[in-house]
C-alpha cells in the first residue's frame, strides 16, 4: 500500500549560525516554532533534527514535544513484535519504562553509559536490534549505527502498524515523574568525593557505577554523574509518583552531606 505525505518545511535552508533556533532538538524550549506549526497546520507529526542530522525529536499531533526515551518505547514495541527475544540498548538516563516495556515484550534490555560511541559500540558488540538515548540518537542493528532519517521513517511505520496517531500512541506509554538533567557547578575532586559518599551511603541498594553512581530504589532511581567536558556534577531522578520522587531526592541529600552542602551553596548563590 502506497501512501503520500505532505511535508511542510520549517527552516530547512542550511545556516551554520542557526538564526531560528538552537540546533539541539532535545530541549523542548528550542521547538516552540515547530509545535506551533504542527498545531496550526493540523500536521500528523513534527520532526526536529539537530545540526548534522543524526539526532531527532518528535512532536505529536497535539503539539507536544515527546522525550526521546518515550519515543524509543514505540520503536521497541514495533521491532520486538518482529524479533522476540532481541536485545535493546538504552542509556542509563532513560526512564525505567524502557526496560520495563522491553522485558514485558520478551526482549533483553541492556543499560549502557550515555554517549553516542558507547551506545553504538554496545549495539554492535551485543548484536542488538535497537539502541537509543535521551539526546535523540536512535541506533539500528540493520544499519550498524544511528540515522535520524531512518528513525523518522521507522517511527512512521510503527504508528502505521499500530493504527494510531502519534498522540494516542504516545499516551499508551506509561509516564513516570522524572527530572531533567540537573547541572550543578562543581570542581571535579569535590564531585568525585560526592560520588564516593553516595556509593557508601546506599550500599544496601542496587547500585550501578557504569557512569557515575545510579541508585535503584523500589519505586525509582537517582543518578549522579561527573561531566567530562565541564566542571559539573549532573543529577537526575525518577519515581513512580511525584511524592516518591520528592522523597528520593530528600533521601539522597540526607545521606550525602557533601551533596547537600553543594546544593545549599548553589541555592544561596541563586537567591542572591
Amino acid at each position: 500500500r502506497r501512501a503520500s505525505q505532505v511535508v511542510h518545511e520549517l527552516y530547512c535552508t542550511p545556516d551554520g549560525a542557526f538564526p531560528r533556533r538552537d540546533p539541539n532538538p532535545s530541549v523542548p524550549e528550542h521547538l516552540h516554532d515547530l509545535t506551533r506549526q504542527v498545531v496550526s497546520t493540523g500536521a500528523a507529526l513534527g520532526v526536529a533534527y539537530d545540526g548534522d542530522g543524526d539526532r531527532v525529536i518528535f512532536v505529536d499531533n497535539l503539539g507536544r514535544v515527546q522525550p526521546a526515551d518515550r519515543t524509543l518505547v514505540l520503536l521497541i514495541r514495533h521491532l520486538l513484535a518482529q524479533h522476540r527475544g532481541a536485545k535493546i540498548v538504552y542509556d542509563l538516563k532513560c526512564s525505567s519504562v524502557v526496560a520495563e516495556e522491553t522485558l514485558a515484550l520478551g526482549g533483553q534490555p541492556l543499560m549502557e553509559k550515555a554517549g553516542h560511541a558507547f551506545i553504538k559500540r554496545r549495539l554492535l558488540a551485543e548484536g542488538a536490534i535497537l539502541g537509543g538515548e535521551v539526546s535523540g540518537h536512535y541506533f539500528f542493528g540493520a544499519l550498524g549505527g544511528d540515522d535520524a532519517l531512518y528513525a523518522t521513517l521507522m517511527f512512521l511505520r510503527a504508528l502505521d502498524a499500530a493504527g494510531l496517531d502519534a498522540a494516542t500512541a504516545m499516551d499508551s506509554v506509561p509516564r513516570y515523574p522524572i527530572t531533567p538533567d540537573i547541572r550543578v557547578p562543581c570542581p571535579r575532586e569535590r564531585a568525585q568525593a560526592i560520588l564516593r559518599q553516595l556509593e557508601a551511603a546506599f550500599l544496601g541498594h542496587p547500585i550501578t557505577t557504569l557512569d557515575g553512581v545510579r541508585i535503584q530504589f523500589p519505586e525509582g532511581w537517582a543518578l549522579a554523574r561527573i561531566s567530562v567536558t565541564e566542571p559539573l556534577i549532573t543529577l537526575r531522578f525518577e519515581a513512580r509518583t511525584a511524592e516518591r520522587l520528592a522523597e528520593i531526592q530528600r533521601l539522597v541529600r540526607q545521606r550525602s552531606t557533601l551533596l547537600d552542602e553543594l546544593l545549599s551553596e548553589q541555592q544561596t548563590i541563586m537567591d542572591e
Side-chain angles (χ1 to χ4, degrees), residues 3 15 21 44 119 121 147 213:
D15 187 334
R21 71 164 173 88
I119 302 293
R121 185 182 302 126
D147 186 289
V213 175

Side-chain angles (χ1 to χ4, degrees), residues 179-254:
T179 70
D181 282 349
I182 302 169
R183 295 158 54 85
V184 186
C186 181
R188 186 171 185 83
E189 289 187 2
R190 187 176 184 184
Q192 289 173 333
I194 290 172
L195 295 192
R196 288 195 296 269
Q197 188 178 61
L198 283 170
E199 188 174 1
F202 289 96
L203 282 178
H205 293 73
I207 293 177
T208 299
T209 56
L210 188 65
D211 183 10
V213 175
R214 189 181 188 277
I215 308 157
Q216 186 69 44
F217 298 93
E219 296 181 342
W221 50 267
L223 172 66
R225 303 166 58 243
I226 299 175
S227 171
V228 296
T229 57
E230 302 174 80
L232 296 168
I233 187 168
T234 301
L235 309 172
R236 193 174 180 92
F237 303 86
E238 184 186 53
R240 292 298 184 93
T241 65
E243 293 77 17
R244 186 59 181 143
L245 180 65
E247 291 172 6
I248 289 174
Q249 290 175 294
R250 283 195 299 270
L251 181 60
V252 168
R253 290 189 66 162
Q254 288 171 1

Side-chain angles (χ1 to χ4, degrees), residues 75-88:
L75 296 177
I76 289 169
R77 290 175 178 175
H78 180 63
L79 289 175
L80 283 183
Q82 307 164 45
H83 305 280
R84 187 170 179 83
K87 297 174 181 178
I88 307 293

